[in-house]
Amino acid sequence: MKASRPFMFLAIAGVLTACINIQTGVHSEPKASGKSESTHEVDMLKTPDGKLVLGAKEWVHIAGLGESYKARVDTGATTSSISAIDIETFDKDGQDFVRFRIAHEGEKSPVLTLPVRRWVRIKQSIQDSYQRRAVVQGDIQIGDLKTKTEFTLADRSHLTFPVLLGRSFFRDVAVVDVSKKYVQKKVK
């Protein structure tokens, strides 16, 4: 009986792996060598409970501009951030508004005007001082998820990614697999 336990464990593990692969859409196809290799891991766009699977990098479509931008998914950041330049704040009927352009790699969007939802103080790890940033809400799409989320405005034009997605965005709608990149399809 003891000799059959390792075999039983391996059999159960194999069945569980097959069930998980069927649920998530991961398929194994034989290599030329006869061994299997997972070739459709990107097909796993959602978890069994309907949450998006995000990689460490994703495409984010900004609805108001009709453009998709590269985004870094940052599990250490609370709020999302978008690369903004020419930021001007003004008062309209007692409410703060902000005008800005999204800028990255020499490209600039048309001027956007949005109400300021709130102001935040940001302390970056490389600086001792705080920055005061406006928080705006924008309509975005990642894969088939269309939603609104908050962004702080900061000049990220010197960084690789014009958009940073923080926990407040993906907390209830997605899980992050940092070993993957661009899991969700780019919206055109």
Side-chain angles (χ1 to χ4, degrees):
M1 195 67 156
K2 280 188 178 182
S4 65
R5 283 189 182 165
F7 173 75
M8 204 141 155
F9 174 76
L10 289 174
I12 291 170
V15 169
L16 288 174
T17 301
C19 289
I20 290 169
N21 289 345
I22 289 167
Q23 274 190 322
T24 59
V26 176
H27 303 91
S28 293
E29 293 183 6
K31 285 187 192 178
S33 66
K35 295 180 182 176
S36 321
E37 178 180 12
S38 178
T39 59
H40 297 293
E41 290 184 40
V42 177
D43 290 343
M44 191 182 83
L45 301 177
K46 292 190 177 180
T47 63
D49 65 348
K51 291 185 178 180
L52 284 182
V53 175
L54 299 177
K57 301 171 184 177
E58 290 293 342
W59 287 100
V60 175
H61 184 77
I62 309 292
L65 296 173
E67 290 287 328
S68 291
Y69 296 91
K70 289 181 180 179
R72 188 177 125 221
V73 180
D74 188 348
T75 59
T78 303
T79 308
S80 299
S81 182
I82 198 159
S83 185
I85 61 166
D86 304 332
I87 301 170
E88 296 176 32
T89 58
F90 62 97
D91 181 81
K92 181 178 175 184
D93 299 326
Q95 182 174 353
D96 288 338
F97 275 76
V98 64
R99 264 187 217 106
F100 63 97
R101 294 176 186 268
I102 297 174
H104 194 68
E105 294 181 346
E107 300 288 323
K108 293 181 184 179
S109 75
V111 174
L112 300 168
T113 302
L114 293 171
V116 175
R117 293 183 55 89
R118 60 191 170 96
W119 292 92
V120 294
R121 282 179 23 162
I122 303 289
K123 183 177 187 302
Q124 294 184 325
S125 59
I126 58 171
Q127 297 176 343
D128 289 331
S129 61
Y130 288 89
Q131 281 184 328
R132 183 175 183 246
R133 293 187 191 168
V135 178
V136 298
Q137 187 174 48
D139 293 320
I140 66 167
Q141 182 175 350
I142 299 178
D144 65 357
L145 174 70
K146 294 179 182 180
T147 189
K148 293 180 182 298
T149 194
E150 289 186 336
F151 290 97
T152 61
L153 302 179
D155 184 354
R156 299 179 54 84
S157 58
H158 62 286
L159 299 172
T160 305
F161 298 94
V163 178
L164 179 136
L165 293 174
R167 291 187 313 270
S168 63
F169 162 69
F170 58 79
R171 176 182 23 226
D172 297 325
V173 298
V175 294
V176 180
D177 183 345
V178 296
S179 70
K180 301 202 180 328
K181 298 175 188 169
Y182 305 108
V183 174
Q184 300 298 317
K185 294 179 183 173
K186 182 179 180 181
V187 176
K188 297 182 182 191

